[in-house]
Amino acid sequence: MKILVCISNVPDTTTKITFTNDNTEFNTAGVQFILNPYDEIALSRAIDLCEGGKGTVTVINVGDSSTEPTIRKALAIGADDAVRINAMPQDAYFVAYQIAEYAKTQQFDLILTGRESIDHNGAQVPAMIAELLDIPSVSIVKKLDFDGKTATLSREIEGGKEVVEVDAPFVASCAEGVAEWKIPNMRGIMSARTKPLQVIEAAATEQLSKINQYQTPAPRSAVKMIEADDVKGLVDLLHSEAKVI
Ligand SMILES: Cc1cc2nc3c(=O)[nH]c(=O)nc-3n(C[C@H](O)[C@H](O)[C@H](O)COP(=O)(O)OP(=O)(O)OC[C@H]3O[C@@H](n4cnc5c(N)ncnc54)[C@H](O)[C@@H]3O)c2cc1C
């Protein structure tokens, strides 16, 4: 079994987000980048499925060389090898196109992604990869079993659960619950340094969208303190200012 796991390099969740160049670019100065958490659980599930020599896990990232520490982390967690498509990701289509072009040269049974990247939160790349490869796509998967030919996937839907059966090859975007997070151990960290990391130049394609501007949320207004026994004052404020009652 061959599994491809798509990994994105995203700002740490504690990052203070600022923009430069007239609010058209994310300011990466001093930002710590991490492996997208949803991709980490997709990777954990892939490793579980391949446990005991049942298959191999390749991770792929579309990014410049600054993403290599994140790729090495994925190798430390347990991926067998890695591919980096050497390009700055420009939009979801660009990313999906590069991954699909690489996947066409291989015979992957499963292509796993996170449900979304926690930076741009597009949730577009997985379905686009599937469309470009003309294979099925199942999104927001919380449980994934695979017998080598057919997979049974469980998805959470409004008020319930949906169980889907699909034959390989397919794309699945993974959400919390699909696996337990794996923490790299010392042996994994050491072996990650020598695991293969192939760098491929990007295939020529177009960029279908462009970010014109970013905006941060409006700052919160100051907190208004009221006396603990001033119930009327509280009700008045909830009615006239907060307008929630
Ligand atoms: C400098 C810079 C400039 C950018 N400019 C633009 C722009 O002009 N317009 C625009 O739309 N976007 C822009 N982006 C965003 C960038 O293109 C995003 O990485 C891309 O849109 C995918 O993010 P998403 O939120 O849509 O991914 P999602 O669809 O939310 O990601 C879902 C899953 O797809 C996989 N995935 C996502 N990204 C990657 C990746 N890079 N490599 C491997 N797997 C991946 C992961 O498994 C992820 O969990 C820019 C990013 C950077 C760093």
Side-chain angles (χ1 to χ4, degrees), residues 181-201:
W181 262 279
K182 290 191 190 300
I183 298 165
N185 58 25
M186 190 49 78
R187 198 164 141 250
I189 294 166
M190 298 302 285
S191 67
R193 294 182 188 166
T194 51
K195 284 183 179 173
L197 195 176
Q198 189 188 358
V199 179
I200 300 176
E201 288 312 314

Side-chain angles (χ1 to χ4, degrees), residues 147-202:
D147 66 8
K149 183 178 175 291
T150 306
T152 309
L153 308 143
S154 179
R155 308 181 59 244
E156 207 169 80
I157 53 170
E158 186 66 33
K161 200 166 79 166
E162 183 179 82
V163 180
V164 180
E165 211 174 78
V166 62
D167 284 344
F170 63 88
V171 179
S173 77
C174 299
E176 316 86 310
V178 82
E180 292 288 324
W181 262 279
K182 290 191 190 300
I183 298 165
N185 58 25
M186 190 49 78
R187 198 164 141 250
I189 294 166
M190 298 302 285
S191 67
R193 294 182 188 166
T194 51
K195 284 183 179 173
L197 195 176
Q198 189 188 358
V199 179
I200 300 176
E201 288 312 314

Side-chain angles (χ1 to χ4, degrees), residues 34-50:
I34 58 166
L35 174 55
N36 185 41
Y38 294 118
D39 305 351
E40 211 170 318
I41 44 170
L43 173 61
S44 298
R45 187 64 193 130
I47 294 166
D48 286 344
L49 288 168
C50 291

Side-chain angles (χ1 to χ4, degrees), residues 117-166:
S117 66
I118 62 159
D119 53 0
H120 292 270
N121 304 89
Q124 298 185 73
V125 170
M128 284 186 183
I129 298 171
E131 181 64 21
L132 289 163
L133 293 174
D134 198 19
I135 57 176
S137 164
V138 185
S139 59
I140 318 186
V141 168
K142 299 217 157 198
K143 194 166 181 288
L144 192 170
D145 292 312
F146 183 55
D147 66 8
K149 183 178 175 291
T150 306
T152 309
L153 308 143
S154 179
R155 308 181 59 244
E156 207 169 80
I157 53 170
E158 186 66 33
K161 200 166 79 166
E162 183 179 82
V163 180
V164 180
E165 211 174 78
V166 62

